Amino acid sequence: MDPYKFRPSSAFNSPFMTTNAGAPVWNDNSSLTVGTRGPVLLEDYHLVEKLAHFTRERIPERIVHARGASAKGFFEVTHDISHLTCADFLRAPGVQTPVIVRFSTVIHERGSPETLRDPRGFAVKFYTREGNWDLVGNNFPVFFIRDAIKFPDVVHAFKPNPKSHIQEYWRILDFCSFLPESLSTFAWFFDDVGIPQDYRHMEGFGVQTYTLVNKTGKVHYVKFHWKPTCGVKSLTDEEAVKVGGSNHSHATQDLYDSIAAGNYPEWKFYVQIIDPDHEDKLDFDPLDVTKWWPEDIIPLQPVGRLVLNKNIDNFFAENEQLAFNPGLVVPGIYYSNDKMLQTRIFAYGDTQRYRLGANYLMLPVNAPKCAHHNNHYDGFMNFMHRDEEVDYFPSRYDPVRHAERHPIPSDIVSGRRDKTVIEKENNFKQPGDRYRSWAPDRQERFITRWLKALSDPRITHEVRSIWISYWTQADHSLGQKLASRLNVRPSI
């Protein structure tokens, strides 16, 4: 089925200008006036329609991930994992699935430079034969918080000061000083990878823990990874200033120009697998989004490759109106009890309904490419032609039926109703291990960035001491270096 079959187009079968209703416009250069000088008549319908549409041609920008670039391509299975999942698009090597990918910066506005230190979004929409799967991730494998009730707070802290509209580190470090689990993400945020060279040289991580379910119902926890075939490359702070000063869209341009030249970006797709029956052997909770799964303990397993070989046709239609939702899964891939993921299942769909409208999944870029049927009717901007008389289920007048049942996790859940934190916090081991894995020059750049952030004049002695104590617990020598250079005595 052609998703664009009923799409209206400004150039559809008309050699001349028309109104939105299709009426011919014989003069699109002059307003209808009384005499040559005016006044302008309100009855100039085309003028009023043109201005009214113009003042509404921007939609609300995304609260996060506002600045982004998209491209299209395909995903191809290269390794058989049918023993792990019954997902149809992963059924055998050689199977290809069309995709669209959106890369983005997280915090800053739609027109901001792409060289700012910021997490990057890496979101992939798979148009499978069993519906769309949205894998919405970042270029870091972890996140600052582990419970989504703090998501509005962490975003507010990273966003500009509501009084001055200036992003200030004292706000970030003040808020995160209450969250020692944020150390894991800061070990990536203030590392060299905090400013990717461009999107082609950037890793992607699914971040959340999902589950894979095979045809017998066996469940495994899973993390998803994208590894660029051209390697991971980053900008130093000095390089970022130079690049951003000459081109605030350098990463978007690099992606577009590379594809246009036939230099198609490619990533290898991997999974990490944990049997839930064995998770107690780990010294961290595998559903904790502030933890990454060490690859030496839980090795990467190759699955497929992602190739972006086509630029988008229209930035607004296929980037601004492109909408992702972690709630969109397909048979064989399911959620876990990851607290952040559980809440994102609702939040992403809700923000898209606010930003684009209740029928955002009808837009061609978001609509499934397989046959689909439901009774979601009407609402703003419902442009699908429908002539059914039955808009309920079940009905003896409509042959539609339930789909064939597919397995989902069936574990028994019990516990006391409570607001609590996970038991295995283990906030300091992974950040320390990551720091110790770097070469000395990379460690020094990390320290320099922290010194700059902690030297913000609004940072209090208390906040500065807390961060030094956190990093001392992660790595004693790192804490000592920060303390001595800031002239602060570390206290744990």
Side-chain angles (χ1 to χ4, degrees):
M1 178 180 178
D2 181 2
Y4 296 101
K5 184 176 180 182
F6 300 108
R7 181 185 68 174
S9 170
S10 59
F12 187 72
N13 288 343
S14 176
F16 47 77
M17 297 292 292
T18 74
T19 66
N20 280 351
V25 174
W26 66 271
N27 185 339
D28 192 35
N29 295 323
S30 304
S31 302
L32 186 64
T33 60
V34 178
T36 58
R37 298 184 64 193
V40 176
L41 293 176
L42 187 61
E43 69 186 57
D44 188 344
Y45 169 80
H46 177 60
L47 167 69
V48 174
E49 180 186 61
K50 187 175 182 179
L51 292 177
H53 187 275
F54 172 72
T55 59
R56 291 166 175 80
E57 68 184 25
R58 295 292 183 269
I59 59 177
E61 97 172 13
R62 293 168 170 89
I63 295 174
V64 288
H65 299 277
R67 174 66 138 122
S70 303
K72 295 181 282 191
F74 65 89
F75 173 78
E76 180 181 18
V77 179
T78 57
H79 292 73
D80 184 10
I81 61 166
S82 58
H83 61 292
L84 294 173
T85 176
C86 59
D88 174 74
F89 79 101
L90 297 172
R91 63 189 178 275
V95 174
Q96 290 190 357
T97 300
V99 301
I100 187 167
V101 179
R102 187 175 189 269
F103 306 100
S104 56
T105 58
V106 173
I107 291 299
H108 302 282
E109 296 94 336
R110 190 155 48 193
S112 58
E114 292 179 309
T115 49
L116 298 177
R117 183 168 297 277
D118 198 9
R120 301 305 196 265
F122 193 127
V124 184
K125 186 181 292 289
F126 297 77
Y127 299 106
T128 88
R129 301 193 306 183
E130 295 184 313
N132 291 354
W133 177 41
D134 286 0
L135 179 54
V136 190
N138 288 333
N139 69 322
F140 303 160
V142 283
F143 198 59
F144 296 94
I145 57 173
R146 58 167 65 105
D147 192 315
I149 198 170
K150 301 310 298 173
F151 187 74
D153 298 290
V154 71
V155 172
H156 287 172
F158 272 82
K159 286 282 190 179
N161 185 320
K163 181 176 181 178
S164 64
H165 199 67
I166 298 171
Q167 188 186 38
E168 296 167 323
Y169 272 114
W170 69 265
R171 291 163 39 81
I172 297 170
L173 299 186
D174 171 42
F175 171 72
C176 291
S177 69
F178 294 93
L179 304 168
E181 65 268 29
S182 67
L183 239 62
S184 288
T185 309
F186 278 115
W188 294 76
F189 182 78
F190 278 124
D191 182 25
D192 292 348
V193 296
I195 309 179
Q197 176 177 295
D198 50 58
Y199 295 131
R200 291 184 299 123
H201 294 88
M202 188 178 82
E203 282 184 289
F205 300 90
V207 185
Q208 313 289 169
T209 300
Y210 284 81
T211 54
L212 294 181
V213 190
N214 68 15
K215 63 181 67 175
T216 68
K218 175 60 181 174
V219 174
H220 287 89
Y221 293 145
V222 61
K223 291 266 198 185
F224 300 107
H225 298 258
W226 300 105
K227 303 285 187 183
T229 57
C230 56
V232 176
K233 295 182 181 179
S234 306
L235 297 175
T236 65
D237 298 79
E238 294 74 22
E239 290 171 336
V241 171
K242 184 177 180 180
V243 171
S246 60
N247 182 1
H248 87 304
S249 301
H250 82 284
T252 296
Q253 183 171 357
D254 175 83
L255 180 68
Y256 190 93
D257 290 349
S258 296
I259 294 174
N263 181 23
Y264 302 141
E266 182 174 335
W267 288 260
K268 300 296 184 185
F269 188 50
Y270 298 88
V271 295
Q272 287 177 292
I273 298 297
I274 293 177
D275 188 327
D277 294 338
H278 303 154
E279 65 173 293
D280 289 341
K281 298 177 181 178
L282 301 170
D283 63 2
F284 61 91
D285 188 329
L287 305 188
D288 180 356
V289 75
T290 70
K291 302 290 181 291
W292 60 82
W293 295 0
E295 295 175 14
D296 57 338
I297 300 174
I298 308 161
L300 296 176
Q301 300 183 36
V303 177
R305 68 187 187 114
L306 168 70
V307 179
L308 299 181
N309 59 3
K310 188 177 188 304
N311 279 312
I312 57 177
D313 300 308
N314 179 271
F315 185 81
F316 183 78
E318 296 180 297
N319 185 78
E320 294 304 289
Q321 291 194 134
L322 177 57
F324 292 93
N325 182 353
L328 301 184
V329 295
V330 293
I333 301 175
Y334 203 70
Y335 323 113
S336 74
N337 290 335
D338 177 334
K339 286 186 178 184
M340 281 289 291
L341 176 59
Q342 288 280 314
T343 314
R344 290 174 78 210
I345 293 168
F346 162 76
Y348 277 62
D350 191 52
T351 195
Q352 307 299 6
R353 284 186 288 272
Y354 165 73
R355 195 173 67 87
L356 298 170
N359 291 301
Y360 74 95
L361 288 175
M362 285 187 182
L363 294 168
V365 73
N366 300 322
K369 303 301 178 267
C370 60
H372 55 287
H373 180 100
N374 59 55
N375 292 318
H376 297 176
Y377 263 77
D378 302 338
F380 286 111
M381 298 302 292
N382 187 322
F383 55 84
M384 193 62 68
H385 174 73
R386 304 181 74 157
D387 58 5
E388 300 99 324
E389 291 185 290
V390 176
D391 57 356
Y392 49 86
F393 178 85
S395 169
R396 292 182 174 85
Y397 296 91
D398 187 343
V400 70
R401 55 182 172 77
H402 282 123
E404 183 178 342
R405 182 171 180 172
H406 58 269
I408 62 173
S410 57
D411 50 317
I412 298 173
V413 179
S414 64
R416 183 186 300 275
R417 182 186 286 113
D418 199 0
K419 290 199 170 205
T420 185
V421 298
I422 64 170
E423 294 178 356
K424 293 183 182 178
E425 289 201 62
N426 204 352
N427 295 320
F428 304 106
K429 182 179 184 298
Q430 289 192 351
D433 289 344
R434 179 168 170 80
Y435 172 80
R436 286 185 290 274
S437 72
W438 297 333
D441 59 331
R442 189 168 177 178
Q443 291 180 346
E444 182 59 30
R445 290 192 294 272
F446 182 76
I447 292 170
T448 299
R449 292 174 191 128
W450 267 101
L451 292 172
K452 182 178 180 181
L454 290 170
S455 296
D456 186 309
R458 293 286 298 273
I459 298 285
T460 64
H461 177 77
E462 178 188 15
V463 171
R464 195 174 289 119
S465 298
I466 288 171
W467 282 105
I468 291 174
S469 73
Y470 285 166
W471 282 116
T472 301
Q473 292 175 78
D475 183 89
H476 190 72
S477 66
L478 171 57
Q480 283 187 323
K481 290 175 182 178
L482 290 173
S484 64
R485 298 193 198 182
L486 290 169
N487 197 25
V488 175
R489 188 175 181 179
S491 59
I492 300 175

